[in-house]
Amino acid sequence: MMQSSQQTQSFMRRLGLVLMLPAALVGAIAFPTQMQQNAQAQTPGDGRALTVRSDVQEANSKTGVVTARGNVQMYYPSRQIQATAAQAQYFSKERRIVLTGNVYVLQQGNSLRGETITYLIDEGRFVALPQGNRQVESIYLVADPSAPTQPAAPVTTPPVNPKPAFKTPNSPSTTPQR
């Protein structure tokens, strides 16, 4: 068991991983975009780190895969990416991140939803797959110089079965007046 812990720590140092707090308490590990020999030189707030928070995380020194499971939150400030998922896997050799399970990605106001979303780090590209019999959803902010400066009034549709408005009685009041 001691050797396995030492191997994991050695693997994490080679990847340049920084433990922000004990993973057993918070489950937080920061991944830099460039591998570094000295893990102490990498700080989570310097913009190069990719921070992943989850319930459980593990690193496999043989495969170079880091897996985070349960309530995964990913923050990559240098690329302005935020994401949530049930699971995330960082494949260090291929430099890709695979997010699975109700994935939501937000980048510079644009969003992407799917069951599995792969982020190819070197290409800066997302590949999204839907859950069975569903579709991937993306929302993009599109610059349109000819668009009006004021947003259009929202279109309101009447309810399908509206309640009738309350009507006041036409007959005089039957309550005695004093």
Side-chain angles (χ1 to χ4, degrees), residues 14-160:
R14 283 196 313 272
L15 284 178
L17 299 175
V18 177
L19 288 175
M20 294 168 55
L21 290 173
L25 297 175
V26 183
I29 296 179
F31 305 97
T33 57
Q34 297 176 348
M35 304 299 177
Q36 294 186 358
Q37 294 297 324
N38 184 357
Q40 302 304 327
Q42 179 67 39
T43 60
D46 75 355
R48 294 178 293 164
L50 177 130
T51 304
V52 176
R53 290 181 174 83
S54 66
D55 294 337
V56 176
Q57 294 187 19
E58 58 188 58
N60 185 318
S61 61
K62 291 180 182 172
T63 63
V65 177
V66 179
T67 302
R69 281 190 215 70
N71 302 308
V72 176
Q73 298 173 13
M74 184 179 93
Y75 183 56
Y76 196 177
S78 67
R79 304 238 177 139
Q80 298 179 357
I81 297 173
Q82 296 176 39
T84 59
Q87 177 175 292
Q89 288 188 294
Y90 171 55
F91 295 84
S92 63
K93 293 176 184 173
E94 296 90 5
R95 295 188 40 82
R96 68 184 163 100
I97 301 165
V98 178
L99 302 157
T100 54
N102 194 27
V103 183
Y104 177 74
V105 177
L106 181 65
Q107 183 181 37
Q108 298 176 334
N110 302 310
S111 66
L112 184 60
R113 285 186 187 275
E115 183 60 22
T116 301
I117 297 178
T118 301
Y119 182 61
L120 304 170
I121 296 169
D122 294 332
E123 296 175 37
R125 182 168 66 104
F126 292 99
V127 177
L129 300 172
Q131 192 174 35
N133 298 327
R134 300 187 94 187
Q135 292 182 310
V136 171
E137 175 186 277
S138 59
I139 300 173
Y140 298 101
L141 301 177
V142 179
D144 186 356
S146 64
T149 56
Q150 295 293 327
V155 177
T156 58
T157 56
V160 176

